[in-house]
Amino acid sequence: MPTDISEKELETILVSYLRDHQGYEEGVSSDYNKEFGLDTERVKRFILSTQKEKVENTACFTSPTEEHKFFSRLSAALSKRGVTDVLRKGFKYISEIFDMYYPTPSALNPTAQQYYDKNIFCFLC
């Protein structure tokens, strides 16, 4: 049987590897919010699972209006500062700096490992 070397087969291999071995979530194009250039539901889920106190202090998800303000400002920060800078330094909203990801922890820090495990990586097909 000949080996399939098509682009579609390569995509299938990559998707399977990321999903099954690296813990990525498989999204669909409708997950992407075009207005903000983000998968807002995954960002919200990440923030709620890691920074509940900051969410409560800023009331950023208490209503659709507040949520819209939050994502508008996050989108603007990403456009102005770039993705890498926002990921490294976080995003300030009102009085809080929200962490947008947690870096690979040292083996000696179990708390950092717990936060790292809450990172959400996703790909869209």
Side-chain angles (χ1 to χ4, degrees), residues 54-101:
K54 293 177 184 180
V55 169
E56 291 169 3
N57 290 342
T58 60
C60 60
F61 299 135
T62 57
S63 71
T65 303
E66 289 301 317
E67 194 169 316
H68 190 273
K69 286 181 198 175
F70 178 85
F71 285 116
S72 291
R73 291 185 188 168
L74 175 56
S75 181
L78 289 165
S79 294
K80 181 178 180 184
R81 295 172 38 207
V83 173
T84 303
D85 190 60
V86 172
L87 288 175
R88 285 184 180 162
K89 297 178 183 173
F91 161 67
K92 185 170 184 176
Y93 181 73
I94 303 178
S95 60
E96 299 285 352
I97 297 177
F98 287 88
D99 298 314
M100 300 311 293
Y101 93 109

Side-chain angles (χ1 to χ4, degrees), residues 21-64:
H21 301 286
Q22 296 297 313
Y24 277 60
E25 295 180 2
E26 186 172 356
V28 293
S29 59
S30 62
D31 294 340
Y32 182 77
N33 185 313
K34 293 177 187 175
E35 179 181 0
F36 304 117
L38 297 165
D39 181 337
T40 54
E41 289 307 309
R42 281 190 175 86
V43 171
K44 183 178 176 180
R45 183 165 36 105
F46 168 74
I47 289 173
L48 286 170
S49 73
T50 59
Q51 302 163 79
K52 193 116 177 127
E53 187 174 312
K54 293 177 184 180
V55 169
E56 291 169 3
N57 290 342
T58 60
C60 60
F61 299 135
T62 57
S63 71

